[in-house]
Structure formats: C-alpha cells, structure tokens
Amino acid sequence: LAEGIENVSMLFADHFLFDSNNQSCRLNVAETTPKTRFCSSAGMSPTEAWLNDEIVGQERAISTISTALEGWALDQHSSIHSHESSNQVKVRSRKPIFFLFAGPSGTGKSQTAFMLSQWLFQNCSAAKSSVNRGVLVLYGEDFVDDDSINTSTLDPLLDESSKEQKRNDQILNQVQYGVSTPRSRDKLQRRIVNFLKRPQKGRGALIIINGIEKMHSHVLSALSGLLDDARGSSSCLSYYDSRRRKRVGVSSCEAVIIIFTTDIGNERIIRSVRDYGGRDNVPRIVLDTALRESLSRHWNGRLNIEKLFHIVVPFLPLGHIELEEIVRRDCEKLSDQHTNKFWRRLEVTPTARQRLVGTDYVEYLDLRKKDLNSLLIFSRHGARSLDSGGGPMQVLRSKLRRHLGTHRPDQVAVFDFNINKNEAIIQWCKENTLASLEHERECDISWRGPIDA
C-alpha cells in the first residue's frame, strides 16, 4: 500500500484513530483534500477527490461510496475519550459495513476497491505484512475446490488423460448442480476469521472479495451465514469447522469494511441506461432494485444474498467520451514515466486519441434509446479494451518504441493522426515552437504511416 500522504490530518479522527501512542497500521481517512491531477476537487469530499482522480466515468458510484462511509462512521460512533494533548478518540462496538460493487466488465469496480484500500490505509508501509496492512483480497474462482473431488469412484483401468477428464466433469457438476464443497467453505471462512483475529483488534480492516458470481453456491451460502452473524449486536465472527466438527475462530468484526464485486446484473444496468436515455438519467433506486433482483435470480432465490449488502453501488457502462479521457490520462502517465529520459514530455493529440478509441480497437454496443431514434454507444468490455492484447495503448507504445529513434530529453515527442490521409505521425518538436502555427513549428518527423502497419 502507498505511503502516507505528507502533512495530512485525519477526517473523522474520533471514528478511525484508536491509540495516540501506537503508530501501527490502522484504518483512517485524511480530512485534507489530496492533490488531484486529472479532476477538480471543488465541492468533493477528500475520498471523492482521491477516487475521481483515478476512476473515470463513475462519479455517481464514488459519491455513493463516500457518503455511505461517512454516514457509517458517524452512525456507529459510540464512545469518545478525549485527551488534552490529542484529538484522537476510542471507538467500541462499531458494526461492519458491506458494499456490493456491481456492473459490466471493465467499468472500474476492482480498481475502485483497490484505490480505497490505499486511501483508507495510506499510513501503512508496503514493507509490512498483508495482515498488518489491514487489507485482505480474495477471488471467487479460488473457492471451488478440486481437492474435494471423489477420485475413488474413477475406474482404475482408465488412462491418466481419461481420469483427468472425469475429475473435470465432477468439478463442473459441483459448480452447476450445487454439490457441497466443505473444504472450500471452511477455507474461505477460516481466511476471513483468521485475518480479523489480529493483535491490532479494533483498528479496522478492509476485505475485498472479487467475483462472487464465480463462487460455489454452497461456499457463498456459508459466507452469507458467517457475515450475517457480524451484523448482530455482538459484531463477532465464527464458523463451524466440518472436519473438526466444532465452532471455531471467534473474531471481532468492529470497524470492518467488506467490498464484494460482481458482474451479475450488468444486463439490467445496460437496459436501464437505454430505457432512461442515458447514463445520468437512471434513478438510483431503479438500479438498486434491479441489481438485488438479479442477485436473487442468479441463485434461484435460494441464498438471499441480496439482503446481505448494506450498500449496492452500480457501475455504469463506459462510452466513447469516457474511454478517450482514460487514454488521455494514461498518455500523461506514460509521459511522466520517461520525462527527461526519452523526451521532455509526450504529447498525444486529441485527433490521435479519438482514433485510438475508435471502432478499429474498441468493440461498442449500439443501443437505441427507448421510443427515440438516436443511439447510445458503450464499450462492450469497458476500459479493458484499451490495454488488452492489441489494444490502442499497446499500439501506441509499440509505435513509439519502434519509431522514435534516438532519445531527445530536451524535445517534445508528438503522436498525431492525419484523418484525411489516414496515417499516424510521430515527430520531435522544440517546446517553445509548439504554440506557434503549424507551418512555424520546428519539428522533425521520425515516422509516418498506417497506424495498423
């Protein structure tokens, strides 16, 4: 996790700081708005400013997250011990809060969760262990357990290839038909309970569970039962160990945030955006209801998992404008990475950026607005289209690496695109001439040609 930002004080110190004499890792939020590069922080909370500076096109989701965290901190505050020499206070018996980040692939769900982990634990050193950092990351696909497959029923005369196919068929049957996997159930519950069972009890923790739709239904049912206990008055966790045949691992769940991510319900989100005529027009309650219904239907109403989440956060599909902004930011980061080494800076022109997010590189969904003739256009795979194999950012890096030639730390590398000739242009220009008219600029063309060549 990132080192703490310099010279920041703490927002809601009475909710997030626990011991003025102990500087170990703890959940906290800065009250000073961080320096932002890509967005204006005016009117935003510090959390919103931090997230919006990295996440594009999800302002509504980020606002929901920030508001929920602030409300949670205030509502659950129960005990204050003030000291003349410190503004820090002690908190007891604060219940956990559970988020669901839901939406189409590539819209920023996982990235937002990881950015939150950096923000909430920014005083933690990356050299510390993951337990001390206060963040646990789990993946749904890790909890369908092939070790629990019954191999004793396989015909001993089968060759190894056939046996492997049979094992794979059994795994598939478990996923499709709900065969119990006690080892996976215990593994998931044990990971969470042991993680929270730490010396720094009460200092807060963040658990990220990516892709819950990939979990075995029995594993998810056990997880739901485990976390339901934490919503009670005791705010404690324990689970039944099927091998040891007893309940084990009682643990505090105070000041814990758990974020689940899923793409369940993404069709409902896209349909709602189409029916309401745009990303910004869909009422929040419509998306919340649609996502909870999708969760219930996904497991045929057996799990009631939709009732577990305090806050459902919809992530909306990304269109051409959002993708172009992501490319702009990525190009600036690429420029910074090699400033005064390869170039003074890199400039990718607006025309080139528009070409990079065109249909040659990004697959778009064309949705006709309900009862209207105009179209809504969204990327089928979100921002993942930009940096995937053969994606536009990889094309840009490849062209620069191949055609820039000798490094010129005192000049500006310019990547442009000529629409009329359908060709890309890479050139070196002197900084002090870039503001001049095109015929007055002092530039050397390094390469020009088809961008796909």
Side-chain angles (χ1 to χ4, degrees):
L1 294 177
E3 291 287 351
I5 296 178
E6 295 181 356
N7 302 321
V8 295
S9 52
M10 302 302 169
L11 174 67
F12 300 128
D14 51 335
H15 305 293
F16 289 112
L17 300 183
F18 300 87
D19 185 355
S20 60
N21 298 318
N22 191 330
Q23 298 303 316
S24 61
C25 189
R26 55 187 174 239
L27 185 151
N28 64 83
V29 179
E31 69 174 353
T32 303
T33 300
K35 293 180 180 179
T36 57
R37 175 176 179 180
F38 298 112
C39 71
S40 169
S41 59
M44 296 184 185
S45 72
T47 301
E48 286 181 275
W50 172 266
L51 293 177
N52 277 310
D53 207 42
E54 286 292 331
I55 310 298
V56 174
Q58 302 299 346
E59 293 81 6
R60 292 176 67 184
I62 289 170
S63 177
T64 299
I65 295 164
S66 176
T67 301
L69 285 175
E70 293 170 7
W72 170 69
L74 290 171
D75 290 344
Q76 299 300 329
H77 175 233
S78 62
S79 176
I80 299 180
H81 299 275
S82 300
H83 303 280
E84 292 182 359
S85 61
S86 174
N87 292 325
Q88 297 173 3
V89 298
K90 184 176 288 186
V91 177
R92 294 195 182 101
S93 301
R94 189 163 75 249
K95 295 179 182 178
I97 183 170
F98 304 148
F99 288 89
L100 177 71
F101 292 178
S105 172
T107 52
K109 302 183 295 294
S110 297
Q111 186 183 5
T112 300
F114 289 123
M115 288 301 299
L116 261 181
S117 74
Q118 293 184 22
W119 179 243
L120 296 174
F121 291 90
Q122 60 184 267
N123 64 319
C124 302
S125 170
K128 296 179 181 179
S129 70
S130 58
V131 171
N132 287 336
R133 274 188 254 154
V135 180
L136 174 66
V137 181
L138 302 169
Y139 296 89
E141 60 264 31
D142 293 337
F143 296 97
V144 175
D145 186 3
D146 59 355
D147 288 338
S148 62
I149 300 301
N150 182 7
T151 58
S152 63
T153 60
L154 298 180
D155 186 343
L157 297 179
L158 291 174
D159 58 35
E160 285 302 315
S161 176
S162 299
K163 287 182 180 180
E164 184 63 25
Q165 181 60 49
K166 290 286 187 181
R167 292 189 187 96
N168 291 338
D169 290 342
Q170 289 188 23
I171 295 172
L172 182 61
N173 287 336
Q174 284 194 348
V175 175
Q176 290 181 333
Y177 303 112
V179 179
S180 179
T181 56
R183 188 168 298 183
S184 284
R185 292 203 305 269
D186 289 356
K187 180 172 69 172
L188 177 60
Q189 295 176 105
R190 185 168 57 249
R191 290 281 303 277
I192 293 174
V193 168
N194 290 344
F195 169 71
L196 296 175
K197 196 176 181 180
R198 303 172 302 164
Q200 299 96 330
K201 177 182 177 181
R203 294 192 176 280
L206 173 64
I207 299 174
I208 301 170
I209 304 178
N210 270 311
I212 60 170
E213 72 280 356
K214 300 172 185 176
M215 283 185 175
H216 192 287
S217 61
H218 283 212
V219 176
L220 194 57
S221 177
L223 174 63
S224 178
L226 174 75
L227 298 180
D228 266 338
D229 293 341
R231 293 165 63 105
S233 58
S234 64
S235 293
C236 291
L237 293 178
S238 63
Y239 71 100
Y240 181 78
D241 189 321
S242 58
R243 289 190 171 184
R244 298 167 64 183
R245 297 186 178 182
K246 66 176 183 179
R247 185 164 289 276
V248 297
V250 175
S251 175
S252 170
C253 203
E254 294 178 8
V256 172
I257 301 167
I258 302 183
I259 297 173
F260 301 80
T261 74
T262 185
D263 60 8
I264 295 173
N266 69 79
E267 300 92 345
R268 293 288 300 274
I269 291 177
I270 293 173
R271 192 183 313 150
S272 297
V273 170
R274 179 201 64 191
D275 292 347
Y276 281 86
R279 301 171 79 252
D280 299 328
N281 302 332
V282 190
R284 175 76 177 79
I285 187 63
V286 170
L287 293 172
D288 186 287
T289 302
L291 288 170
R292 291 184 188 273
E293 289 175 353
S294 296
L295 287 167
S296 178
R297 283 202 302 270
H298 186 79
W299 285 286
N300 298 319
R302 297 193 308 268
L303 298 183
N304 290 324
I305 189 70
E306 68 279 2
K307 298 179 181 178
L308 178 66
F309 308 112
H310 298 97
I311 308 292
V312 173
V313 184
F315 281 70
L316 301 176
L318 302 177
H320 187 277
I321 293 175
E322 289 77 30
L323 293 191
E324 187 177 340
E325 173 62 16
I326 294 172
V327 168
R328 185 185 73 82
R329 296 185 182 192
D330 287 347
C331 289
E332 287 197 25
K333 293 175 184 176
L334 179 62
S335 176
D336 288 350
Q337 186 179 353
H338 302 292
T339 293
N340 298 325
K341 299 175 185 176
F342 294 177
W343 46 58
R344 179 183 290 270
R345 64 183 174 87
L346 169 67
E347 180 178 306
V348 179
T349 67
T351 304
R353 293 198 302 268
Q354 292 173 14
R355 179 67 173 79
L356 290 171
V357 298
T359 54
D360 287 345
Y361 298 106
V362 179
E363 183 181 0
Y364 288 97
L365 294 169
D366 294 343
L367 304 177
R368 189 169 298 281
K369 292 183 182 179
K370 192 175 182 180
D371 300 327
L372 296 174
N373 293 324
S374 55
L375 292 176
L376 298 168
I377 301 176
F378 298 110
S379 169
R380 181 181 293 274
H381 303 292
R384 289 186 179 178
S385 303
L386 301 179
D387 231 342
S388 59
M393 289 306 298
Q394 289 198 6
V395 170
L396 174 63
R397 293 189 192 97
S398 174
K399 296 300 180 187
L400 292 173
R401 188 180 300 113
R402 188 181 306 172
H403 300 297
L404 268 179
T406 305
H407 300 167
R408 303 185 191 182
D410 61 335
Q411 294 189 25
V412 179
V414 179
F415 185 88
D416 198 0
F417 187 79
N418 187 316
I419 298 177
N420 295 327
K421 295 183 178 181
N422 194 32
E423 66 177 8
I425 304 167
I426 295 176
Q427 53 190 335
W428 288 105
C429 298
K430 292 184 177 180
E431 177 80 58
N432 59 357
T433 67
L434 278 177
S436 306
L437 297 175
E438 186 171 350
H439 69 275
E440 297 176 347
R441 294 179 182 176
E442 296 183 25
C443 299
D444 297 328
I445 295 177
S446 293
W447 172 82
R448 65 192 313 156
I451 195 170
D452 298 320

